[in-house]
PDB file of all heavy atoms in Angstrom:
ATOM      1  N   LEU K 449      71.108 105.822  98.603  1.00  0.00           N
ATOM      2  CA  LEU K 449      71.995 106.943  98.975  1.00  0.00           C
ATOM      3  C   LEU K 449      71.611 107.518 100.304  1.00  0.00           C
ATOM      4  O   LEU K 449      72.491 107.873 101.122  1.00  0.00           O
ATOM      5  CB  LEU K 449      71.946 108.034  97.881  1.00  0.00           C
ATOM      6  CG  LEU K 449      72.617 107.649  96.561  1.00  0.00           C
ATOM      7  CD1 LEU K 449      72.356 108.723  95.513  1.00  0.00           C
ATOM      8  CD2 LEU K 449      74.111 107.453  96.777  1.00  0.00           C
ATOM      9  N   ASN K 450      70.313 107.626 100.598  1.00  0.00           N
ATOM     10  CA  ASN K 450      69.877 108.123 101.869  1.00  0.00           C
ATOM     11  C   ASN K 450      70.302 107.208 103.005  1.00  0.00           C
ATOM     12  O   ASN K 450      70.832 107.694 104.033  1.00  0.00           O
ATOM     13  CB  ASN K 450      68.365 108.306 101.885  1.00  0.00           C
ATOM     14  CG  ASN K 450      67.850 108.937 103.190  1.00  0.00           C
ATOM     15  OD1 ASN K 450      68.205 110.049 103.554  1.00  0.00           O
ATOM     16  ND2 ASN K 450      67.010 108.203 103.914  1.00  0.00           N
ATOM     17  N   SER K 451      70.145 105.919 102.813  1.00  0.00           N
ATOM     18  CA  SER K 451      70.562 104.950 103.843  1.00  0.00           C
ATOM     19  C   SER K 451      72.076 105.010 104.074  1.00  0.00           C
ATOM     20  O   SER K 451      72.546 104.924 105.201  1.00  0.00           O
ATOM     21  CB  SER K 451      70.147 103.543 103.438  1.00  0.00           C
ATOM     22  OG  SER K 451      68.745 103.421 103.352  1.00  0.00           O
ATOM     23  N   ALA K 452      72.824 105.150 102.985  1.00  0.00           N
ATOM     24  CA  ALA K 452      74.262 105.229 103.091  1.00  0.00           C
ATOM     25  C   ALA K 452      74.706 106.478 103.852  1.00  0.00           C
ATOM     26  O   ALA K 452      75.642 106.413 104.668  1.00  0.00           O
ATOM     27  CB  ALA K 452      74.904 105.196 101.697  1.00  0.00           C
ATOM     28  N   ARG K 453      74.023 107.608 103.621  1.00  0.00           N
ATOM     29  CA  ARG K 453      74.417 108.810 104.291  1.00  0.00           C
ATOM     30  C   ARG K 453      74.107 108.749 105.786  1.00  0.00           C
ATOM     31  O   ARG K 453      74.807 109.334 106.623  1.00  0.00           O
ATOM     32  CB  ARG K 453      73.767 110.009 103.613  1.00  0.00           C
ATOM     33  CG  ARG K 453      74.411 110.282 102.249  1.00  0.00           C
ATOM     34  CD  ARG K 453      73.860 111.488 101.521  1.00  0.00           C
ATOM     35  NE  ARG K 453      74.598 111.708 100.316  1.00  0.00           N
ATOM     36  CZ  ARG K 453      74.100 111.736  99.094  1.00  0.00           C
ATOM     37  NH1 ARG K 453      72.794 111.546  98.921  1.00  0.00           N
ATOM     38  NH2 ARG K 453      74.837 111.929  98.014  1.00  0.00           N
ATOM     39  N   ILE K 454      73.024 108.072 106.132  1.00  0.00           N
ATOM     40  CA  ILE K 454      72.701 107.870 107.544  1.00  0.00           C
ATOM     41  C   ILE K 454      73.811 107.012 108.181  1.00  0.00           C
ATOM     42  O   ILE K 454      74.279 107.282 109.294  1.00  0.00           O
ATOM     43  CB  ILE K 454      71.337 107.198 107.713  1.00  0.00           C
ATOM     44  CG1 ILE K 454      70.222 108.171 107.295  1.00  0.00           C
ATOM     45  CG2 ILE K 454      71.136 106.745 109.154  1.00  0.00           C
ATOM     46  CD1 ILE K 454      68.846 107.564 107.235  1.00  0.00           C
ATOM     47  N   ALA K 455      74.261 105.964 107.421  1.00  0.00           N
ATOM     48  CA  ALA K 455      75.321 105.111 107.927  1.00  0.00           C
ATOM     49  C   ALA K 455      76.647 105.881 108.082  1.00  0.00           C
ATOM     50  O   ALA K 455      77.407 105.649 109.009  1.00  0.00           O
ATOM     51  CB  ALA K 455      75.520 103.928 106.997  1.00  0.00           C
ATOM     52  N   ILE K 456      76.896 106.845 107.167  1.00  0.00           N
ATOM     53  CA  ILE K 456      78.106 107.649 107.258  1.00  0.00           C
ATOM     54  C   ILE K 456      78.128 108.463 108.567  1.00  0.00           C
ATOM     55  O   ILE K 456      79.144 108.536 109.242  1.00  0.00           O
ATOM     56  CB  ILE K 456      78.216 108.590 106.046  1.00  0.00           C
ATOM     57  CG1 ILE K 456      78.565 107.759 104.808  1.00  0.00           C
ATOM     58  CG2 ILE K 456      79.253 109.669 106.275  1.00  0.00           C
ATOM     59  CD1 ILE K 456      78.500 108.547 103.515  1.00  0.00           C
ATOM     60  N   GLU K 457      77.003 109.022 108.912  1.00  0.00           N
ATOM     61  CA  GLU K 457      76.911 109.780 110.179  1.00  0.00           C
ATOM     62  C   GLU K 457      77.227 108.863 111.348  1.00  0.00           C
ATOM     63  O   GLU K 457      77.913 109.260 112.305  1.00  0.00           O
ATOM     64  CB  GLU K 457      75.521 110.379 110.305  1.00  0.00           C
ATOM     65  CG  GLU K 457      75.215 111.459 109.290  1.00  0.00           C
ATOM     66  CD  GLU K 457      73.791 112.003 109.428  1.00  0.00           C
ATOM     67  OE1 GLU K 457      73.109 111.593 110.426  1.00  0.00           O
ATOM     68  OE2 GLU K 457      73.381 112.786 108.604  1.00  0.00           O
ATOM     69  N   ARG K 458      76.768 107.622 111.263  1.00  0.00           N
ATOM     70  CA  ARG K 458      76.965 106.687 112.366  1.00  0.00           C
ATOM     71  C   ARG K 458      78.447 106.260 112.481  1.00  0.00           C
ATOM     72  O   ARG K 458      79.003 106.290 113.539  1.00  0.00           O
ATOM     73  CB  ARG K 458      76.103 105.449 112.179  1.00  0.00           C
ATOM     74  CG  ARG K 458      76.182 104.444 113.314  1.00  0.00           C
ATOM     75  CD  ARG K 458      75.275 103.255 113.128  1.00  0.00           C
ATOM     76  NE  ARG K 458      75.722 102.412 111.989  1.00  0.00           N
ATOM     77  CZ  ARG K 458      75.094 102.351 110.853  1.00  0.00           C
ATOM     78  NH1 ARG K 458      73.984 103.031 110.614  1.00  0.00           N
ATOM     79  NH2 ARG K 458      75.532 101.560 109.848  1.00  0.00           N
ATOM     80  N   VAL K 459      79.027 105.905 111.345  1.00  0.00           N
ATOM     81  CA  VAL K 459      80.428 105.367 111.433  1.00  0.00           C
ATOM     82  C   VAL K 459      81.411 106.445 111.760  1.00  0.00           C
ATOM     83  O   VAL K 459      82.426 106.208 112.451  1.00  0.00           O
ATOM     84  CB  VAL K 459      80.825 104.626 110.138  1.00  0.00           C
ATOM     85  CG1 VAL K 459      79.925 103.452 109.886  1.00  0.00           C
ATOM     86  CG2 VAL K 459      80.883 105.553 108.934  1.00  0.00           C
ATOM     87  N   THR K 460      81.169 107.687 111.299  1.00  0.00           N
ATOM     88  CA  THR K 460      82.119 108.751 111.655  1.00  0.00           C
ATOM     89  C   THR K 460      81.925 109.197 113.089  1.00  0.00           C
ATOM     90  O   THR K 460      82.896 109.461 113.798  1.00  0.00           O
ATOM     91  CB  THR K 460      81.946 109.949 110.716  1.00  0.00           C
ATOM     92  OG1 THR K 460      80.589 110.392 110.693  1.00  0.00           O
ATOM     93  CG2 THR K 460      82.371 109.620 109.310  1.00  0.00           C
TER      94      THR K 460
END
Side-chain angles (χ1 to χ4, degrees):
L449 289 173
N450 184 60
S451 297
R453 289 183 175 121
I454 292 172
I456 288 170
E457 294 177 6
R458 183 178 68 252
V459 298
T460 54

